[in-house]
Amino acid sequence: MSGNIDVTVENQLVRFVAPEPIDGNAVVEQLDGQRAGKMVIKALQRPRATLVIDPEGRITVHGTHRIEAARDAAKELLLRLGMADTGLKTELGPIIASFHFNTPMKVESIVGQLGAGEGHYDERLDCGIVTDKRHDLVLHIWGNGRCIVTEGRHPKMVAMAAVYWQSKFKELGIASF
């Protein structure tokens, strides 16, 4: 369905809710967690992940692209705190994904072709940014055809958006596929 566009999930944001809220102070005292405002941050080496414990005692896992790896990280934290890992509920957040259009893109033209509400050029990043309301995600597109997608909900939705925008950019003359 995605033609010659291969989508790679770079990061999957996952939050876990334990039956009993995680005590951020215990993470700081027992596991050398770091306080950052109201949040507590704990970096794990195995599995490699960064865990953020919010004031409600929920665990958000960053740095993984597989849900199983994120769950393993949350379980590791619970076990190190002497808590049971049963009854852990999973809440999926957005993904960060990437793909390549395999052709140079005229990213400076995106705002002129799409309109200010849908697309703009970011000088600081040197990329075009498209807010895709159809697929409910944001594309960051560089001149070499590289694309990073934020706010995605599923890799297949990112692939559908890639095919759609590939066609749209060809039609608008922003790229030649």
Side-chain angles (χ1 to χ4, degrees):
M1 178 166 89
S2 62
N4 60 352
I5 299 177
D6 294 320
V7 173
T8 302
V9 175
E10 305 291 346
N11 190 16
Q12 168 77 58
L13 189 63
V14 184
R15 182 168 62 193
F16 296 97
V17 181
E20 193 176 310
I22 308 300
D23 180 6
N25 291 327
V27 174
V28 170
E29 294 166 7
Q30 297 174 28
L31 305 177
D32 294 324
Q34 302 296 312
R35 193 160 287 288
K38 294 182 179 182
M39 307 292 202
V40 173
I41 300 170
K42 174 64 182 158
L44 293 179
Q45 295 302 316
R46 288 196 175 201
R48 187 175 172 91
T50 301
L51 298 107
V52 179
I53 295 85
D54 65 20
E56 288 82 33
R58 301 173 298 191
I59 307 166
T60 301
V61 180
H62 295 268
T64 62
H65 63 278
R66 289 184 17 246
I67 296 167
E68 298 82 20
R71 180 172 280 282
D72 288 345
K75 284 182 176 184
E76 179 70 21
L77 179 79
L78 290 170
L79 294 174
R80 286 185 184 184
L81 290 171
M83 298 175 69
D85 63 349
T86 55
L88 200 59
K89 293 181 184 170
T90 305
E91 298 176 353
L92 296 178
I95 63 172
I96 296 175
S98 66
F99 61 86
H100 205 283
F101 279 122
N102 295 321
T103 190
M105 307 287 289
K106 300 175 189 169
V107 293
E108 297 89 354
S109 302
I110 286 177
V111 70
Q113 298 288 331
L114 299 178
E118 195 170 17
H120 70 279
Y121 176 72
D122 187 316
E123 288 183 29
R124 186 177 62 88
L125 295 175
D126 190 28
C127 73
I129 299 177
V130 175
T131 302
D132 182 347
K133 293 180 180 147
R134 170 184 228 149
H135 301 98
D136 198 25
L137 46 81
V138 178
L139 296 97
H140 295 74
I141 307 148
W142 279 266
N144 64 0
R146 180 83 168 148
C147 186
I148 304 291
V149 175
T150 59
E151 303 303 319
R153 292 289 168 192
H154 194 279
K156 289 183 180 180
M157 187 61 72
V158 174
M160 287 171 50
V163 170
Y164 171 81
W165 286 104
Q166 182 178 43
S167 170
K168 186 83 167 167
F169 291 150
K170 181 178 181 181
E171 175 186 310
L172 295 171
I174 293 172
S176 55
F177 294 99

